[in-house]
Amino acid sequence: MRTSALTTIVPTTLAAAVIGTAGIALQSAPAQAVESVDAEKVVLAAQLDPAKNGTGTTPGAAGSVEIVEQALADEGLLDAARVDGHFGSDTVDAYSDWQEEQGASGEGANGLPGSGTLTALGEAGGFTVTNPIDLGGKTTVDGQTLNQRTADMLAEAEEGAGVELQVTQGSYNRGGVAASGGTHDGGGAVDIATRHLSGSEREAAVTAMREVGFAAWDRTGVKNFDPHIHAIAISDTASAAWKADRNRQVYDYYEDRDGLADHGPDNGPDIDPVTWEDYQRNQ
């Protein structure tokens, strides 16, 4: 069959096609894909990037971070020049301001993107959130307060180490122990007693804790500390704020350092850093 030069045969399967007044088939423009942000990668970048020299980015995180930064810039909270994929201190401060706008305060406005405020920013900025980090509610272990994520990590590490991990200081303990320097003010922080553990048992404990996603160090015999293992759950979004050099501990761990004020060499077992979510996916 011959057709007019102005007429095109339109397949009936093209549901998106419409027929123009001149008989020409017109197809509506495809909907623009919605951008997505990987919450796990953004949170890790927020813990690692501020301590870096320059504007280096966290592997696999730059794209998601840049989307978050653009949304913060659109809200008037971040200078456009800082939309670069590096979740540095300016971005931490901008995100803290966003958290405060959402009604958060204290460690709730620590600049680490929690699921609620990140979802709200996505609604404002036009992106979706994947891989949200679930801290669960607060619970107690050995009489000390932890969030459920940290408690689950600790239970898994205890099983892996084959030794009792007795908690002597937990999380959300603002002002509880002055020597801790504020690291226990927020979530994810835990101290483990070591007086009842042998050297090999302490090493097994630190190894197991690192394997499930803690930045962990044996402080037994270190400086004037009471003997203990100190640990921070990597990517805990309620972790103590970056101010006063506190969340530098996670960065130190990734850089093979000891998490102390002078950032000396790591004294623990050589374990590749992972998050709790990484660990769970690999089981």
Side-chain angles (χ1 to χ4, degrees):
M1 178 180 70
R2 284 180 55 177
T3 60
S4 163
L6 295 178
T7 305
T8 302
I9 299 175
V10 183
T12 57
T13 56
L14 270 179
V18 294
I19 305 299
T21 55
I24 300 175
L26 303 175
Q27 188 168 349
S28 59
Q32 187 173 3
V34 176
E35 293 180 306
S36 66
V37 162
D38 188 322
E40 289 181 26
K41 294 187 182 302
V42 169
V43 171
L44 185 60
Q47 288 197 304
L48 299 181
D49 288 357
K52 295 174 180 175
N53 292 324
T55 57
T57 61
T58 295
S64 289
V65 169
E66 190 167 342
I67 294 169
V68 170
E69 289 175 322
Q70 185 60 60
L72 291 171
D74 292 343
E75 293 293 317
L77 300 174
L78 183 67
D79 190 287
R82 298 300 187 189
V83 180
D84 56 7
H86 169 81
F87 208 115
S89 56
D90 286 346
T91 306
V92 170
D93 288 344
Y95 200 91
S96 178
D97 291 342
W98 171 253
Q99 289 169 320
E100 289 178 351
E101 286 191 6
Q102 303 308 300
S105 61
E107 298 301 339
N110 59 4
L112 297 176
S115 296
T117 55
L118 190 57
T119 297
L121 185 61
E123 291 171 354
F127 63 81
T128 61
V129 178
T130 63
N131 297 324
I133 296 173
D134 182 11
L135 301 184
K138 291 181 181 179
T139 187
T140 57
V141 177
D142 298 328
Q144 305 297 318
T145 301
L146 303 174
N147 59 48
Q148 191 60 55
R149 179 178 183 264
T150 306
D152 291 344
M153 293 170 65
L154 193 61
E156 186 74 6
E158 185 172 63
E159 182 176 348
V163 298
E164 179 189 4
L165 300 182
Q166 181 182 350
V167 180
T168 58
Q169 186 182 186
S171 307
Y172 311 102
N173 190 29
R174 178 177 290 275
V177 178
S180 297
T183 57
H184 290 260
D185 287 3
V190 61
D191 285 348
I192 304 297
T194 58
R195 292 185 187 277
H196 66 296
L197 301 179
S198 67
S200 61
E201 288 173 329
R202 296 199 310 271
E203 183 173 4
V206 173
T207 297
M209 293 180 77
R210 289 184 172 193
E211 287 175 341
V212 304
F214 284 104
W217 298 272
D218 184 6
R219 301 293 194 222
T220 306
V222 175
K223 297 188 175 181
N224 60 346
F225 292 116
D226 287 337
H228 71 284
I229 292 169
H230 173 69
I232 298 288
I234 299 168
S235 293
D236 187 302
T237 56
S239 192
W242 251 98
K243 288 131 180 112
D245 205 30
R246 288 179 284 178
N247 251 331
R248 173 68 184 258
Q249 289 188 337
V250 174
Y251 177 79
D252 269 12
Y253 177 58
Y254 273 76
E255 294 295 306
D256 298 320
R257 299 187 180 279
D258 62 7
L260 295 173
D262 55 2
H263 311 297
D266 187 12
N267 68 345
D270 185 13
I271 304 295
D272 289 337
V274 298
T275 66
W276 173 237
E277 290 72 28
D278 289 332
Y279 172 82
Q280 290 179 300
R281 277 190 289 269
N282 291 329
Q283 295 309 293

